[in-house]
Amino acid sequence: MEGYTDKTGDEAKNLKLSQERANFIKAELSKLGATAQIVSAEGYGSQFAHVDAKASDSERASDRKMSVRFTK
């Protein structure tokens, strides 16, 4: 599980928020029985954000996301 934020706000808070998002999704999937399949949850803050902080909220929304990385 990977969590991301947009470029607005304090980066330390963004890292914390993105980690909390990843942890939340991991916990919810675990409740559904996917515990063994979830290896980790990482928060990246705005490290990979592409949209400028001065863009509209709807434009920045694309940077506020969760992703799942599958490994074999």
Side-chain angles (χ1 to χ4, degrees):
M1 300 305 317
E2 299 171 339
Y4 302 89
T5 64
D6 62 25
K7 292 182 180 184
T8 61
D10 178 69
E11 184 56 24
K13 290 179 183 177
N14 282 341
L15 280 171
K16 183 178 185 281
L17 174 62
S18 63
Q19 184 65 54
E20 289 170 353
R21 288 177 177 166
N23 290 340
F24 176 80
I25 298 298
K26 180 180 178 183
E28 291 299 308
L29 289 174
S30 293
K31 288 179 191 176
L32 297 171
T35 306
Q37 293 86 1
I38 303 172
V39 177
S40 66
E42 287 288 328
Y44 294 105
S46 65
Q47 178 180 353
F48 299 104
H50 298 289
V51 180
D52 188 84
K54 295 179 183 175
S56 70
D57 185 60
S58 61
E59 292 172 307
R60 291 191 324 271
S62 66
D63 284 332
R64 299 186 297 264
K65 62 189 174 212
M66 296 296 305
S67 67
V68 178
R69 183 177 345 156
F70 295 93
T71 60
K72 186 173 181 181

